[in-house]
Amino acid sequence: PQRAQTTPHPVRPLQISNWTTAPMAATSSPSTAAAAMWAFAAAACVKLLLVPTYRSTDFDVHRYWLALTHALPARQWYTDASSEWTLDYPPFFAYFSRLLSLPAPFVDASLVDIPVPAAPPSSAYILYLRLTVAFSDLLLLASILLLARDARRRQRPFLALLLVLWSPALLIVDHIHFQYNGFLMGLLLLSLHFLEQGKDLAGGVVFAALLCSKHLFLVAAPVYFVYLFRHYCCGRGLARGLGRLVLMGAGVVAVFAMAFAPFVYYGQVSWSVNSVWNWMFLHDHLVIVVTIISF
């Protein structure tokens, strides 16, 4: 009998890459998170070992700002002269110091005394301030995990993002010299995560909040403006592009209003703007150079 003609099934090549990467893709997220958590925990142990190390004048600065924002009303934050270390950061950082000061009296009552006692700080005093820096690094950890996930989806290495947790610069400047750059870097990376996700409005708003926390990040403002204007506003027609520009501007203005409105009301905004201007252009002459290189 005549054999029935059947269409042979095409022979598909063995796709080893799919077989091997599919299970890994399913488990990469937990492994990445676990690796970041372990790295963060190990770095936290090192930070605890650095508690009794050298402290710069920045320790005294933040010690005063902690007491200032707790003991005095907001209308006196930028005018109090009981210490030489006057508050010269934008308002969101002052709010951040206020938040850190809330549990301080339960640790050591002298933490929130104005004027700041001239006696050397107690061990509990030092430990509390050091721990506030380490605790605020949780935002840095969360931002790194988000960016690591973005990098994995785009098949880019994310090891560099993970290594931020062990950055020698952050360990030295924040946990020996004493500052809060890890927390601020977390805000910057969170903004970049939103840009990576295509959520340009959220990324711009978070960056505006960063500018209201530390004015040093103004060096990146021109780059952000050009990117957001080109990526968020342009190429969508005149009406829609203009609408997006207005929306982005409204979001940024709202953030700055939340930060500066109380101090405009108290008549302190001119002092704050002058201090920012002097800091940027008298103490950091590389601002223009860095901006040009960024472009």
Side-chain angles (χ1 to χ4, degrees), residues 15-123:
Q15 298 180 355
I16 297 179
S17 60
N18 288 346
W19 289 14
T20 56
T21 57
M24 292 177 63
T27 59
S28 58
S29 180
S31 62
T32 300
M37 293 297 293
W38 276 107
F40 182 81
C45 293
V46 173
K47 294 168 187 177
L48 289 176
L49 294 176
L50 296 175
V51 167
T53 56
Y54 153 84
R55 299 185 305 275
S56 72
T57 54
D58 275 347
F59 181 87
D60 298 322
V61 169
H62 289 283
R63 175 188 180 189
Y64 166 63
W65 292 358
L66 193 77
L68 169 73
T69 54
H70 186 278
L72 298 180
R75 63 177 178 272
Q76 299 181 30
W77 287 357
Y78 286 98
T79 56
D80 180 73
S82 61
S83 171
E84 60 180 312
W85 313 117
T86 53
L87 181 59
D88 58 1
Y89 273 26
F92 274 176
F93 196 90
Y95 301 152
F96 174 67
S97 295
R98 167 66 178 174
L99 182 64
L100 296 181
S101 72
L102 295 179
F106 300 100
V107 178
D108 189 333
S110 63
L111 271 166
V112 292
D113 285 345
I114 290 290
V116 175
S122 65
S123 299

Side-chain angles (χ1 to χ4, degrees), residues 9-287:
H9 295 285
V11 179
R12 302 178 65 181
L14 181 62
Q15 298 180 355
I16 297 179
S17 60
N18 288 346
W19 289 14
T20 56
T21 57
M24 292 177 63
T27 59
S28 58
S29 180
S31 62
T32 300
M37 293 297 293
W38 276 107
F40 182 81
C45 293
V46 173
K47 294 168 187 177
L48 289 176
L49 294 176
L50 296 175
V51 167
T53 56
Y54 153 84
R55 299 185 305 275
S56 72
T57 54
D58 275 347
F59 181 87
D60 298 322
V61 169
H62 289 283
R63 175 188 180 189
Y64 166 63
W65 292 358
L66 193 77
L68 169 73
T69 54
H70 186 278
L72 298 180
R75 63 177 178 272
Q76 299 181 30
W77 287 357
Y78 286 98
T79 56
D80 180 73
S82 61
S83 171
E84 60 180 312
W85 313 117
T86 53
L87 181 59
D88 58 1
Y89 273 26
F92 274 176
F93 196 90
Y95 301 152
F96 174 67
S97 295
R98 167 66 178 174
L99 182 64
L100 296 181
S101 72
L102 295 179
F106 300 100
V107 178
D108 189 333
S110 63
L111 271 166
V112 292
D113 285 345
I114 290 290
V116 175
S122 65
S123 299
Y125 198 134
I126 296 172
L127 180 61
Y128 179 78
L129 283 176
R130 293 288 194 190
L131 288 179
T132 60
V133 181
F135 181 76
S136 64
D137 283 348
L138 287 172
L139 178 60
L140 179 63
L141 172 64
S143 300
I144 287 174
L145 287 175
L146 291 173
L147 272 177
R149 183 186 64 183
D150 297 340
R152 185 182 65 252
R153 287 178 176 176
R154 297 176 182 269
Q155 298 182 351
R156 295 189 315 217
F158 53 85
L159 182 59
L161 300 174
L162 193 62
L163 291 179
V164 173
L165 295 172
W166 273 94
S167 167
L170 286 179
L171 286 176
I172 294 172
V173 175
D174 280 16
H175 302 280
I176 297 179
H177 182 82
F178 198 89
Q179 287 188 24
Y180 290 89
N181 291 303
F183 165 74
L184 299 167
M185 188 64 66
L187 277 177
L188 177 62
L189 296 183
L190 181 61
S191 173
L192 293 178
H193 161 70
F194 285 130
L195 298 184
E196 191 78 25
Q197 293 288 312
K199 301 175 181 177
D200 293 340
L201 180 60
V205 168
V206 172
F207 182 72
L210 178 62
L211 293 182
C212 293
S213 300
K214 189 170 184 178
H215 39 279
L216 175 63
F217 291 93
L218 279 170
V219 297
V223 182
Y224 260 81
F225 174 79
V226 172
Y227 174 82
L228 291 174
F229 182 75
R230 176 67 183 87
H231 190 261
Y232 184 69
C233 302
C234 294
R236 305 176 186 277
L238 180 60
R240 189 177 180 186
L242 183 60
R244 287 197 165 205
L245 180 62
V246 171
L247 182 61
M248 178 66 72
V252 173
V253 169
V255 172
F256 274 82
M258 290 174 58
F260 287 94
F263 303 99
V264 172
Y265 177 77
Y266 294 132
Q268 300 182 49
V269 69
S270 60
W271 185 93
S272 302
V273 171
N274 287 335
S275 67
V276 171
W277 181 273
N278 292 334
W279 193 95
M280 287 295 296
F281 293 96
L282 295 181
H283 299 281
D284 194 352
H285 301 291
L286 295 178
V287 170

